[in-house]
């Protein structure tokens, strides 16, 4: 994993409830989308959640039965980083 990606992973996995965390997650999501790692549909969930600091986009994705591959990758990286 590239050092730049590591910073974006930390950003996208920012815990809920932190002020401006939704916007931070969305900014990182845009990075992964532009790299081709995230679909437009998954990015849209991050956009919707961007103003909701207490909402975890991964929970929203699960609720809508979307982005299973992205969820699996994010959970793997979360465990690897100890977040």
């Amino acid at each position: 994993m590239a050092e730049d990606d590591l910073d974006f992973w930390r950003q996208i996995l920012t815990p809920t409830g932190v002020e401006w965390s939704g916007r931070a997650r969305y900014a990182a999501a845009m990075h992964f989308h532009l790299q081709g790692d995230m679909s437009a549909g998954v990015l849209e969930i991050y956009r919707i959640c961007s103003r909701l600091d207490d909402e975890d986009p991964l929970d929203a994705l699960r609720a809508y039965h979307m982005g299973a591959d992205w969820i699996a990758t994010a959970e793997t990286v979360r465990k690897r980083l100890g977040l």
Side-chain angles (χ1 to χ4, degrees), residues 9-71:
W9 275 111
R10 286 188 182 106
Q11 193 174 348
I12 205 165
L13 295 171
T14 302
T16 58
V18 175
E19 190 173 2
W20 290 89
S21 61
R23 288 170 178 88
R25 286 188 291 272
Y26 179 56
M30 182 61 73
H31 165 79
F32 289 114
H33 174 69
L34 292 173
Q35 278 192 178
D37 297 328
M38 177 186 284
S39 71
V42 171
L43 178 64
E44 180 65 7
I45 293 295
Y46 277 87
R47 186 196 65 76
I48 291 166
C49 294
S50 69
R51 296 187 57 117
L52 307 171
D53 294 336
D54 293 326
E55 183 70 35
D56 186 342
L58 296 178
D59 290 341
L61 288 167
R62 287 183 192 99
Y64 288 105
H65 305 285
M66 295 174 57
D69 292 342
W70 175 257
I71 293 168

Side-chain angles (χ1 to χ4, degrees), residues 67-79:
D69 292 342
W70 175 257
I71 293 168
T73 301
E75 293 296 348
T76 298
V77 173
R78 179 178 286 173
K79 287 177 188 171

